[in-house]
Amino acid sequence: LDYQHVQVPFEITLWIMLASLAKIGFHLYNRLPSVVPESCLLIFVGLIMGGIIYGLNDKSPPVMDSDIFFLYLLPPIVLDAGYFMPSRPFFENIGTILLYAVVGTIWNVFGIGFSLYGICQVKAFHLQDVSLLHNLLFGSLIAAVDPVAVLAVFEEIHVNEKLHILVFGESLLNDAVTVVLYKLFRSFCEMPTITSVDVFAGVGKFFVVGLGGVLVGLTFGMTSAFTTRFTKDIRVIEPLFVFLYSYLSYLTAEMFHLSGIVAIIACAMGMKRYVEANISLKSHTTVKYFMKMWSSVSDTLIFIFLGVSTIGENHEWNWPYICFTVIFCLIWRALGVLVLTFFVNRFHVNTITSKDQFIIAYGGLRGAICFSLVFLLPDFHRKKLFIAATTVVILFTVFVQGMTIRPLVDLLAVKRKRESAPTVGEQIHIRFLDHLLAGIEDISGHWGQYYWKDKLEYFNSKYLQKILLREYDQPKSSIVLLYEKLERKHAIELAEAGQLGHAPSHPSLLRSGFLCSNNNRTVITDKKLEDTLNPDVLENIQEILSRNLYRIRRTGPAYNRHTLPGETEPMEHAKEILILRHKNL
Amino acid sequence: LDYQHVQVPFEITLWIMLASLAKIGFHLYNRLPSVVPESCLLIFVGLIMGGIIYGLNDKSPPVMDSDIFFLYLLPPIVLDAGYFMPSRPFFENIGTILLYAVVGTIWNVFGIGFSLYGICQVKAFHLQDVSLLHNLLFGSLIAAVDPVAVLAVFEEIHVNEKLHILVFGESLLNDAVTVVLYKLFRSFCEMPTITSVDVFAGVGKFFVVGLGGVLVGLTFGMTSAFTTRFTKDIRVIEPLFVFLYSYLSYLTAEMFHLSGIVAIIACAMGMKRYVEANISLKSHTTVKYFMKMWSSVSDTLIFIFLGVSTIGENHEWNWPYICFTVIFCLIWRALGVLVLTFFVNRFHVNTITSKDQFIIAYGGLRGAICFSLVFLLPDFHRKKLFIAATTVVILFTVFVQGMTIRPLVDLLAVKRKRESAPTVGEQIHIRFLDHLLAGIEDISGHWGQYYWKDKLEYFNSKYLQKILLREYDQPKSSIVLLYEKLERKHAIELAEAGQLGHAPSHPSLLRSGFLCSNNNRTVITDKKLEDTLNPDVLENIQEILSRNLYRIRRTGPAYNRHTLPGETEPMEHAKEILILRHKNL
């Protein structure tokens, strides 16, 4: 027996296997996941395993290595989050998200830090030796909402899209703030004196870390898209580039002390549309599937490790400090959301309701990022207290908040995600309105959201697509692609029902029962599409599309009231708009 | 800059990236890969890189770590090979393959070992200090044909299926022999005296290593199939189990000093048909795609590392020894193939032609396995000589033999692989003949290949399928599945050509050119099927199938000449066959 030789890969494989089997186990009992979030169950499994290890070895089980967490477990989850991020709601609410992520996190850090410092002054608690700086450092790691925990809970409760993107977007983008504040306070802890220059440098650093991350991410994303231009003869390695470049963007950002999470999200969102156009359908399925699989496994491992690491003798149980930490985390987050939303609602027509505000405040779950950061703290005599407080906060938020948020959402009747995908008609109208609003903003000289979106789209089609896409000379409108997809789907359904026009003697086969088997449905690839479009709706859409699609394109340019159909040239339109705009300015 | 922190994953990612980019680079020039095998180009890239590293650092570049090779790079390639192994030709030729793999390899090991020992006795060559045991040890590592190198070359030259499976199967299964002989001679080298008991123990060990590997592989394979029974609610982690269990089988086998390669092949071949039936279509695409991708990257990395490791000061250039090694490798392989084929041809109707024999002998490429084994040798004063000889043999076989084998195949007009997949008619006939032969063997009391195949199939459908498959109550004949697939494909083609029956106004869309775009073809999933079945053939098949499929089934039981159609029961047939057989016995 030569265990030493294969130990590392063997144990890694066994951990992943355990995680996967645990996942299967939960889903065998259909009731369990609908009551308790999977993250709680996994932590519970981890706690039991940690207990067993502790019992057998009589020493603390190994804690989750921060390096393993940040280098191997976190990137797949963030990549998945970034790649499948719904870009429209994200960019529509980017202002609010940034406000929550930046101002909100800073508010929480200083709120929690200063109020815990206040608690430390109470003599009865024996905490006078914890300095303000240490409290602020602790605040910087405990304040950040965790994307992994948020995703695990919010994916199951199906709140409306805007609410989801607000909480989830905040949890992703606050990484830049957390990184800066954590590193700032940690270096302050080791400095003899702190000058005002250092503080200003810290503020400047925030922009560097955040924007630097975006820049690194976009650079790698564009390179990735450019690389997939040349993979036509060697389809089989296409999916690799998506993973390699995004991982490289994360590592590069981490290497330069920038925000890796921001980098990988920028990379994934940047490359997505170009890569999808370049790679084959099968490669794309593999990319999507493998991303989901990988993030799912990472996620499972993180929660199990979290449970395992909780057991042991790393903790100092000073209950006043721990309890006040939990209370302050709740209070400052609630206050922060209330104050910030007040300002946000003053500038928006589509306001955030008080129910939504409650869910945003209540959904501020903490997770493995805090946990890894607290173990990365420099050694000092109260580190075990911080570890204990962090553990309790995480368990409290994941178990108590995570398990009660679903009943609360039901009770408050928070607006849910619409179950059906938007119809083709809706999509056309949304796009039409976008163009209209861009035109209005252009004419009125108000350079708003739609104006910039239009400019970006122009830049994209004029330059980026030509460089990054393989077959630029054959651009296809997404509506035509959708139409083709529907046609194919329809055809498959017909074939499966045996109603295809000119295969001559289907009825005999139908009678013999070959084609009417029950598991026909398994082959249909796009489940979501199938649910929303039953054959009748589908036929209607096809009819409308086939009647109107071409005509709209042909008669489109004739909307100008000064000319007869077919006379105007696009150039003249552009001129006219320009003249109108100049007058307005 | 914090490079230390991210060094390990960063460098791994960069190496993989380099390998992938090199692959893309070669395929940009269409002519290059058709003349030079990719493996040669990759070794060349490695040589250049090694030269650069050597030039810059003025010390030998790092050699490929044997642990990395055996634990991380080799398994994906072998898994891919086992999973996509055509099982029919493999099992039809299993006797011949085993003969080549076991007897042939032993023949080569002792042939090369003893004749090199003879060379060592020539005083002019200054090699008297190399003992017989060391020569045999060297023979045991240099004799084995390398599956990675064989696959890289034979995948490009498209020889007929039997020839391919003979060379490739041998290269895979000889691992058990190589492992045993290599470890045996290595332990002999360290023993003071060798008794005859040790030698017999070595012979017995071969069976343990080979059959143990098969057992470990099948155990994990069946467990994997059983696990995928329960993944219906959590499709996204299905592909994971295929990879996890096969990797575990490899590691477990290695741990117990069994043949990991044999184990992973047994695992992959064993689980394939059950896993495929259990997992979803998308999961299956992901499994196939990712396996190909992974093995392709591993393959690339191995050849690049091989090139890099060649450069340096690890070599002792004793030219007589090196040249004779190359010559003996060629001669003993040729002799072995001639002798063994002589015996094989006496017992087979379908003989191996002399052209085929030449290609089998010439296709005995050496590769990274030899290279890794030579570095694993215990340190002794002539190790650098062995390293040099191994390097030269590998480069000679990969470059000279690998580059000339394609012209030779053309020149000799070796029978090629048929370009088209077998038609449905052929498949039906093959299956029919199998049943017929099984029946004949059963009646005549000759328990041959078909008899055992039939028994295995019975055992499979009676027990294994019930345990391992999720939906056993709905078995579908593969011919019905194929028919459904063709129907779907046909429907998609119709939809894309815009000829689907009842979408009303397609002609207008057709005219506008929306549906006739050139890249329609990219969406068709099964490229191979598409090439072989043009719409006409397809329509014919559908017609024939839909007319005859059910009728054959219905009238099938009526072949018995003693009864009228519909009267016989299957039990009576079985009885009759039994009676006939008893008479014969």
Side-chain angles (χ1 to χ4, degrees), chain B residues 94-120:
Chain B
I94 184 79
T96 317
I97 292 171
L98 277 176
L99 196 71
Y100 284 143
V102 180
V103 183
T105 308
I106 294 175
W107 165 286
N108 277 314
V109 169
F110 285 96
I112 295 170
F114 280 111
S115 34
L116 279 179
Y117 182 62
I119 296 299
C120 291

mmCIF file of all heavy atoms in Angstrom, chain B residues 94-120:
data_model
loop_
_atom_site.group_PDB
_atom_site.id
_atom_site.type_symbol
_atom_site.label_atom_id
_atom_site.label_comp_id
_atom_site.label_asym_id
_atom_site.label_seq_id
_atom_site.Cartn_x
_atom_site.Cartn_y
_atom_site.Cartn_z
ATOM 1 N N ILE B 94 -9.557 -9.324 -28.658
ATOM 2 C CA ILE B 94 -8.934 -9.261 -27.335
ATOM 3 C C ILE B 94 -7.823 -10.295 -27.175
ATOM 4 O O ILE B 94 -6.771 -10.003 -26.572
ATOM 5 C CB ILE B 94 -10.017 -9.409 -26.224
ATOM 6 C CG1 ILE B 94 -9.414 -9.255 -24.820
ATOM 7 C CG2 ILE B 94 -10.749 -10.739 -26.314
ATOM 8 C CD1 ILE B 94 -9.185 -7.841 -24.439
ATOM 9 N N GLY B 95 -7.998 -11.470 -27.780
ATOM 10 C CA GLY B 95 -6.962 -12.493 -27.676
ATOM 11 C C GLY B 95 -5.660 -12.040 -28.303
ATOM 12 O O GLY B 95 -4.585 -12.090 -27.674
ATOM 13 N N THR B 96 -5.758 -11.556 -29.536
ATOM 14 C CA THR B 96 -4.563 -11.084 -30.239
ATOM 15 C C THR B 96 -3.912 -9.924 -29.491
ATOM 16 O O THR B 96 -2.685 -9.870 -29.336
ATOM 17 C CB THR B 96 -4.956 -10.624 -31.656
ATOM 18 O OG1 THR B 96 -5.866 -11.573 -32.208
ATOM 19 C CG2 THR B 96 -3.749 -10.499 -32.527
ATOM 20 N N ILE B 97 -4.760 -8.994 -29.019
ATOM 21 C CA ILE B 97 -4.226 -7.825 -28.310
ATOM 22 C C ILE B 97 -3.455 -8.277 -27.067
ATOM 23 O O ILE B 97 -2.336 -7.819 -26.804
ATOM 24 C CB ILE B 97 -5.374 -6.866 -27.920
ATOM 25 C CG1 ILE B 97 -5.981 -6.229 -29.165
ATOM 26 C CG2 ILE B 97 -4.871 -5.793 -26.982
ATOM 27 C CD1 ILE B 97 -7.250 -5.448 -28.901
ATOM 28 N N LEU B 98 -4.046 -9.190 -26.297
ATOM 29 C CA LEU B 98 -3.389 -9.656 -25.081
ATOM 30 C C LEU B 98 -2.079 -10.377 -25.408
ATOM 31 O O LEU B 98 -1.082 -10.201 -24.710
ATOM 32 C CB LEU B 98 -4.317 -10.591 -24.301
ATOM 33 C CG LEU B 98 -5.342 -9.907 -23.406
ATOM 34 C CD1 LEU B 98 -6.257 -10.918 -22.755
ATOM 35 C CD2 LEU B 98 -4.647 -9.065 -22.332
ATOM 36 N N LEU B 99 -2.099 -11.147 -26.488
ATOM 37 C CA LEU B 99 -0.878 -11.836 -26.898
ATOM 38 C C LEU B 99 0.236 -10.831 -27.191
ATOM 39 O O LEU B 99 1.356 -10.949 -26.684
ATOM 40 C CB LEU B 99 -1.161 -12.689 -28.139
ATOM 41 C CG LEU B 99 -0.122 -13.752 -28.468
ATOM 42 C CD1 LEU B 99 -0.196 -14.872 -27.447
ATOM 43 C CD2 LEU B 99 -0.332 -14.290 -29.866
ATOM 44 N N TYR B 100 -0.084 -9.821 -27.993
ATOM 45 C CA TYR B 100 0.907 -8.788 -28.284
ATOM 46 C C TYR B 100 1.338 -8.084 -27.002
ATOM 47 O O TYR B 100 2.524 -7.829 -26.788
ATOM 48 C CB TYR B 100 0.330 -7.735 -29.235
ATOM 49 C CG TYR B 100 0.232 -8.161 -30.680
ATOM 50 C CD1 TYR B 100 -0.843 -7.773 -31.453
ATOM 51 C CD2 TYR B 100 1.245 -8.907 -31.278
ATOM 52 C CE1 TYR B 100 -0.943 -8.144 -32.783
ATOM 53 C CE2 TYR B 100 1.150 -9.283 -32.615
ATOM 54 C CZ TYR B 100 0.067 -8.900 -33.364
ATOM 55 O OH TYR B 100 -0.022 -9.251 -34.669
ATOM 56 N N ALA B 101 0.334 -7.741 -26.162
ATOM 57 C CA ALA B 101 0.633 -6.915 -24.994
ATOM 58 C C ALA B 101 1.471 -7.678 -23.974
ATOM 59 O O ALA B 101 2.425 -7.127 -23.416
ATOM 60 C CB ALA B 101 -0.662 -6.420 -24.351
ATOM 61 N N VAL B 102 1.121 -8.948 -23.734
ATOM 62 C CA VAL B 102 1.821 -9.690 -22.679
ATOM 63 C C VAL B 102 3.066 -10.381 -23.225
ATOM 64 O O VAL B 102 4.192 -10.026 -22.874
ATOM 65 C CB VAL B 102 0.862 -10.723 -22.032
ATOM 66 C CG1 VAL B 102 1.598 -11.489 -20.949
ATOM 67 C CG2 VAL B 102 -0.350 -10.023 -21.459
ATOM 68 N N VAL B 103 2.859 -11.341 -24.121
ATOM 69 C CA VAL B 103 4.002 -12.093 -24.643
ATOM 70 C C VAL B 103 4.930 -11.177 -25.422
ATOM 71 O O VAL B 103 6.161 -11.227 -25.262
ATOM 72 C CB VAL B 103 3.514 -13.272 -25.516
ATOM 73 C CG1 VAL B 103 4.700 -14.092 -25.987
ATOM 74 C CG2 VAL B 103 2.527 -14.133 -24.758
ATOM 75 N N GLY B 104 4.341 -10.310 -26.264
ATOM 76 C CA GLY B 104 5.151 -9.413 -27.082
ATOM 77 C C GLY B 104 6.028 -8.516 -26.224
ATOM 78 O O GLY B 104 7.216 -8.331 -26.503
ATOM 79 N N THR B 105 5.447 -7.943 -25.175
ATOM 80 C CA THR B 105 6.229 -7.035 -24.334
ATOM 81 C C THR B 105 7.333 -7.785 -23.600
ATOM 82 O O THR B 105 8.477 -7.314 -23.525
ATOM 83 C CB THR B 105 5.304 -6.317 -23.333
ATOM 84 O OG1 THR B 105 4.230 -5.723 -24.050
ATOM 85 C CG2 THR B 105 6.058 -5.244 -22.585
ATOM 86 N N ILE B 106 6.996 -8.978 -23.081
ATOM 87 C CA ILE B 106 8.033 -9.761 -22.382
ATOM 88 C C ILE B 106 9.163 -10.117 -23.348
ATOM 89 O O ILE B 106 10.350 -9.984 -23.035
ATOM 90 C CB ILE B 106 7.400 -11.043 -21.782
ATOM 91 C CG1 ILE B 106 6.415 -10.646 -20.675
ATOM 92 C CG2 ILE B 106 8.469 -11.974 -21.235
ATOM 93 C CD1 ILE B 106 5.637 -11.803 -20.101
ATOM 94 N N TRP B 107 8.788 -10.536 -24.532
ATOM 95 C CA TRP B 107 9.746 -10.828 -25.611
ATOM 96 C C TRP B 107 10.675 -9.625 -25.851
ATOM 97 O O TRP B 107 11.887 -9.760 -25.887
ATOM 98 C CB TRP B 107 8.935 -11.177 -26.860
ATOM 99 C CG TRP B 107 9.668 -11.167 -28.175
ATOM 100 C CD1 TRP B 107 10.079 -10.069 -28.869
ATOM 101 C CD2 TRP B 107 10.077 -12.299 -28.939
ATOM 102 N NE1 TRP B 107 10.696 -10.439 -30.022
ATOM 103 C CE2 TRP B 107 10.715 -11.812 -30.099
ATOM 104 C CE3 TRP B 107 9.945 -13.682 -28.776
ATOM 105 C CZ2 TRP B 107 11.221 -12.644 -31.078
ATOM 106 C CZ3 TRP B 107 10.456 -14.518 -29.762
ATOM 107 C CH2 TRP B 107 11.094 -14.008 -30.881
ATOM 108 N N ASN B 108 10.074 -8.455 -25.997
ATOM 109 C CA ASN B 108 10.864 -7.245 -26.257
ATOM 110 C C ASN B 108 11.788 -6.923 -25.094
ATOM 111 O O ASN B 108 12.956 -6.579 -25.295
ATOM 112 C CB ASN B 108 9.947 -6.051 -26.513
ATOM 113 C CG ASN B 108 9.468 -5.992 -27.947
ATOM 114 O OD1 ASN B 108 10.253 -6.161 -28.872
ATOM 115 N ND2 ASN B 108 8.183 -5.775 -28.129
ATOM 116 N N VAL B 109 11.248 -7.010 -23.868
ATOM 117 C CA VAL B 109 12.048 -6.666 -22.688
ATOM 118 C C VAL B 109 13.293 -7.541 -22.629
ATOM 119 O O VAL B 109 14.425 -7.033 -22.538
ATOM 120 C CB VAL B 109 11.214 -6.848 -21.400
ATOM 121 C CG1 VAL B 109 12.115 -6.760 -20.165
ATOM 122 C CG2 VAL B 109 10.112 -5.814 -21.316
ATOM 123 N N PHE B 110 13.083 -8.855 -22.710
ATOM 124 C CA PHE B 110 14.237 -9.746 -22.581
ATOM 125 C C PHE B 110 15.133 -9.678 -23.811
ATOM 126 O O PHE B 110 16.361 -9.707 -23.689
ATOM 127 C CB PHE B 110 13.762 -11.182 -22.300
ATOM 128 C CG PHE B 110 13.292 -11.350 -20.881
ATOM 129 C CD1 PHE B 110 11.950 -11.250 -20.561
ATOM 130 C CD2 PHE B 110 14.214 -11.552 -19.860
ATOM 131 C CE1 PHE B 110 11.524 -11.384 -19.252
ATOM 132 C CE2 PHE B 110 13.800 -11.681 -18.549
ATOM 133 C CZ PHE B 110 12.443 -11.596 -18.240
ATOM 134 N N GLY B 111 14.537 -9.551 -24.979
ATOM 135 C CA GLY B 111 15.332 -9.423 -26.200
ATOM 136 C C GLY B 111 16.255 -8.224 -26.122
ATOM 137 O O GLY B 111 17.488 -8.332 -26.267
ATOM 138 N N ILE B 112 15.670 -7.057 -25.844
ATOM 139 C CA ILE B 112 16.475 -5.839 -25.793
ATOM 140 C C ILE B 112 17.483 -5.917 -24.650
ATOM 141 O O ILE B 112 18.664 -5.567 -24.810
ATOM 142 C CB ILE B 112 15.549 -4.606 -25.642
ATOM 143 C CG1 ILE B 112 14.661 -4.447 -26.883
ATOM 144 C CG2 ILE B 112 16.351 -3.350 -25.416
ATOM 145 C CD1 ILE B 112 13.566 -3.428 -26.740
ATOM 146 N N GLY B 113 17.008 -6.382 -23.486
ATOM 147 C CA GLY B 113 17.898 -6.450 -22.321
ATOM 148 C C GLY B 113 19.124 -7.310 -22.566
ATOM 149 O O GLY B 113 20.265 -6.863 -22.372
ATOM 150 N N PHE B 114 18.889 -8.541 -23.051
ATOM 151 C CA PHE B 114 20.022 -9.450 -23.256
ATOM 152 C C PHE B 114 20.938 -8.971 -24.370
ATOM 153 O O PHE B 114 22.154 -9.049 -24.247
ATOM 154 C CB PHE B 114 19.517 -10.878 -23.549
ATOM 155 C CG PHE B 114 19.116 -11.623 -22.309
ATOM 156 C CD1 PHE B 114 17.791 -11.930 -22.041
ATOM 157 C CD2 PHE B 114 20.094 -12.014 -21.385
ATOM 158 C CE1 PHE B 114 17.435 -12.612 -20.895
ATOM 159 C CE2 PHE B 114 19.740 -12.696 -20.229
ATOM 160 C CZ PHE B 114 18.407 -12.992 -19.989
ATOM 161 N N SER B 115 20.387 -8.463 -25.477
ATOM 162 C CA SER B 115 21.275 -8.078 -26.574
ATOM 163 C C SER B 115 22.071 -6.832 -26.194
ATOM 164 O O SER B 115 23.236 -6.698 -26.572
ATOM 165 C CB SER B 115 20.506 -7.890 -27.874
ATOM 166 O OG SER B 115 19.226 -7.391 -27.650
ATOM 167 N N LEU B 116 21.467 -5.920 -25.383
ATOM 168 C CA LEU B 116 22.256 -4.766 -24.934
ATOM 169 C C LEU B 116 23.355 -5.220 -23.980
ATOM 170 O O LEU B 116 24.464 -4.655 -23.993
ATOM 171 C CB LEU B 116 21.345 -3.741 -24.233
ATOM 172 C CG LEU B 116 20.568 -2.813 -25.160
ATOM 173 C CD1 LEU B 116 19.690 -1.885 -24.362
ATOM 174 C CD2 LEU B 116 21.516 -1.999 -26.042
ATOM 175 N N TYR B 117 23.044 -6.254 -23.174
ATOM 176 C CA TYR B 117 24.080 -6.792 -22.294
ATOM 177 C C TYR B 117 25.236 -7.338 -23.126
ATOM 178 O O TYR B 117 26.407 -7.153 -22.774
ATOM 179 C CB TYR B 117 23.493 -7.892 -21.407
ATOM 180 C CG TYR B 117 24.477 -8.488 -20.434
ATOM 181 C CD1 TYR B 117 25.067 -7.682 -19.446
ATOM 182 C CD2 TYR B 117 24.812 -9.839 -20.482
ATOM 183 C CE1 TYR B 117 25.964 -8.225 -18.556
ATOM 184 C CE2 TYR B 117 25.706 -10.382 -19.585
ATOM 185 C CZ TYR B 117 26.298 -9.578 -18.612
ATOM 186 O OH TYR B 117 27.192 -10.107 -17.733
ATOM 187 N N GLY B 118 24.885 -7.958 -24.255
ATOM 188 C CA GLY B 118 25.921 -8.426 -25.180
ATOM 189 C C GLY B 118 26.791 -7.271 -25.661
ATOM 190 O O GLY B 118 28.035 -7.354 -25.666
ATOM 191 N N ILE B 119 26.168 -6.171 -26.034
ATOM 192 C CA ILE B 119 26.922 -4.996 -26.493
ATOM 193 C C ILE B 119 27.855 -4.495 -25.387
ATOM 194 O O ILE B 119 28.992 -4.069 -25.643
ATOM 195 C CB ILE B 119 25.940 -3.879 -26.913
ATOM 196 C CG1 ILE B 119 25.105 -4.307 -28.111
ATOM 197 C CG2 ILE B 119 26.680 -2.580 -27.221
ATOM 198 C CD1 ILE B 119 25.887 -4.618 -29.352
ATOM 199 N N CYS B 120 27.351 -4.552 -24.151
ATOM 200 C CA CYS B 120 28.148 -4.057 -23.029
ATOM 201 C C CYS B 120 29.443 -4.855 -22.839
ATOM 202 O O CYS B 120 30.383 -4.379 -22.194
ATOM 203 C CB CYS B 120 27.350 -4.117 -21.733
ATOM 204 S SG CYS B 120 26.003 -2.934 -21.706
#
